[in-house]
Amino acid sequence: MFRQAIQWASAAFGSRLRPLAIGQPVRRMANTTDDGQFKSWKPLAPTLRQRRMTSRKELHKGGPVRELTVAKRRTGGRNNTGRITCRHRGGGAKRRIRLVDFRRKEPGPQQVVRLEYDPGRSAHIALIKHMSTGKLSYILAPVGLKAGAVVQSYMSPESVAAETPADSAEVAEADSTEVPGAQEYTSEGLKRKTGTQQRATLDVGNCMPLKMVPIGSVVHNVGLHPFGRAQLARSAGAAAQVLFTAPTGLAQIKLASGEIRRVPVDACATLGRVGNANHKHELLGSAGARRRRGWRPTVRGTAMNTHDHPHGGGRGKSKGNKHPRSPWGKLAKGGKTRLKPNSMVVRARPRR
């Protein structure tokens, strides 16, 4: 049958059928388009028509460093007694948690090896290698950070000592991709504290206490406790602005939500804005893409029975002439649920 098909095709098309030479690659039609910002698909299926993902051209194509990951054990949204405490969770592809360094205690220059994709967060991560010890670690990748750049942390007591000219020349020689507008800032607070004068280079990706960050700078990975781990501004495209800082006491930062809050001046902060800002414009395009990410379907309250939801029961689509509520009776749109105000918040975020 196959031989008859070949003979019929040869008779029909003649010399237009040319066999491929040995080793010649087969040309296939491209089903995807990547313009550097987004990756889109040809509508070969209805689910691909609206699908749009951020570009990953600059990211590492292989897997992570095994020693810097741990297995993610899934619970399906259940607690230790087997009851569902977090709805709409379950299933999904297997993952490994990347151990990101949010403390940055290691002093000395560290070179960026590559940028990687992290399925556990919206931001990309960068693999850095210590230029003296060779130790590998992961950090969040800010905007403008490229492979080969050199970042440094000033959070440990060892990094408080004054830099020697030899160390500065070594860092400058290794950092071939210097960020435009980089400058040096002298912390008088550290000078009074340790008797030495610290000079920190204000490059994207450098981590330092808030008392060393100039007023007006854009930072991310901000901590809430002195010399603690970073907890604020860690998602894709997130950043905070330093409004006030001092050698001692509390600094003031403005978050992306508009909230102004106090933070200890010894808390960590990394210069720059978190990368992958186009993450908020992604479109998965299908329900299956949500299921592969570990999300289960959401059932509307009006489709339930009376004892399952405050909106349930009744005839038709009515919800009992009630204000929108959660399954536990809390107001879902605009109702206040916070009992104690946070004393560290100077000005709350604007609410609708």
Side-chain angles (χ1 to χ4, degrees):
M1 188 70 181
F2 179 74
R3 185 176 301 176
Q4 293 179 355
I6 293 296
Q7 293 176 356
W8 176 84
S10 302
F13 297 99
S15 61
R16 284 184 290 177
L17 288 177
R18 298 179 180 178
L20 293 175
I22 298 177
Q24 182 179 354
V26 179
R27 298 180 59 185
R28 295 184 174 89
M29 295 179 59
N31 297 328
T32 60
T33 303
D34 195 339
D35 59 358
Q37 287 188 335
F38 293 100
K39 181 179 180 180
S40 57
W41 280 257
K42 277 189 175 182
L44 302 179
T47 58
L48 298 179
R49 186 174 297 276
Q50 304 297 333
R51 186 181 176 93
R52 182 177 63 192
M53 307 297 291
T54 55
S55 177
R56 299 175 187 171
K57 281 184 175 181
E58 306 297 331
L59 303 184
H60 176 60
K61 300 300 187 295
V65 179
R66 185 78 176 185
E67 293 75 14
L68 299 179
T69 62
V70 293
K72 182 177 181 180
R73 305 303 180 191
R74 297 183 180 272
T75 61
R78 279 116 173 128
N79 61 1
N80 61 334
T81 63
R83 296 178 181 270
I84 296 178
T85 56
C86 185
R87 302 189 303 161
H88 316 141
R89 296 295 180 93
K94 294 175 66 175
R95 296 179 182 177
R96 293 191 67 83
I97 299 176
R98 276 70 169 172
L99 301 178
V100 180
D101 184 12
F102 287 115
R103 296 183 182 272
R104 301 288 296 274
K105 296 292 187 182
E106 192 77 18
Q110 297 172 307
Q111 191 170 21
V112 179
V113 179
R114 65 196 185 204
L115 303 182
E116 294 186 12
Y117 169 76
D118 188 355
R121 65 185 72 251
S122 58
H124 297 323
I125 57 177
L127 179 66
I128 58 177
K129 181 178 181 180
H130 200 281
M131 299 179 66
S132 299
T133 62
K135 182 180 178 181
L136 297 175
S137 60
Y138 280 126
I139 63 171
L140 295 186
V143 177
L145 192 69
K146 304 290 184 181
V150 174
V151 296
Q152 200 162 355
S153 174
Y154 300 92
M155 291 301 300
S156 65
E158 291 81 1
S159 63
V160 175
E163 283 185 349
T164 60
D167 295 337
S168 302
E170 181 181 355
V171 174
E173 181 181 356
D175 189 4
S176 58
T177 59
E178 184 178 0
V179 179
Q183 51 182 328
E184 289 188 345
Y185 177 72
T186 303
S187 173
E188 297 296 337
L190 289 178
K191 181 179 179 181
R192 287 193 292 268
K193 180 178 179 181
T194 62
T196 59
Q197 194 172 25
Q198 167 70 15
R199 302 181 68 84
T201 306
L202 300 182
D203 286 341
V204 171
N206 285 0
C207 181
M208 60 191 69
L210 276 172
K211 59 187 175 185
M212 299 179 63
V213 180
I215 295 176
S217 300
V218 175
V219 295
H220 67 279
N221 263 5
V222 183
L224 290 178
H225 305 284
F227 304 104
R229 64 183 179 90
Q231 295 178 257
L232 300 179
R234 305 193 326 189
S235 61
Q241 187 177 16
V242 180
L243 301 182
F244 171 77
T245 186
T248 58
L250 299 174
Q252 291 187 12
I253 60 173
K254 183 177 181 180
L255 304 178
S257 62
E259 176 181 303
I260 299 177
R261 84 175 273 134
R262 300 185 185 96
V263 179
V265 294
D266 289 326
C268 63
T270 306
L271 296 176
R273 182 184 301 270
V274 184
N276 195 27
N278 288 327
H279 172 78
K280 61 182 179 181
H281 301 301
E282 284 187 349
L283 296 175
L284 297 181
S286 65
R290 290 277 293 175
R291 296 303 297 265
R292 288 190 292 271
R293 285 162 172 78
W295 293 95
R296 298 190 70 246
T298 301
V299 180
R300 294 171 295 116
T302 55
M304 299 182 186
N305 294 326
T306 308
H307 67 282
D308 292 326
H309 200 280
H311 298 170
R315 296 187 177 183
K317 294 186 177 180
S318 66
K319 57 178 179 289
N321 197 21
K322 298 177 182 177
H323 290 290
R325 297 175 183 274
S326 70
W328 304 275
K330 296 286 186 179
L331 291 175
K333 294 186 177 180
K336 291 187 177 180
T337 58
R338 185 167 296 176
L339 301 179
K340 296 181 180 180
N342 192 342
S343 60
M344 300 296 284
V345 176
V346 178
R347 187 178 70 188
R349 68 182 189 271
R351 302 175 186 270
R352 292 181 295 177

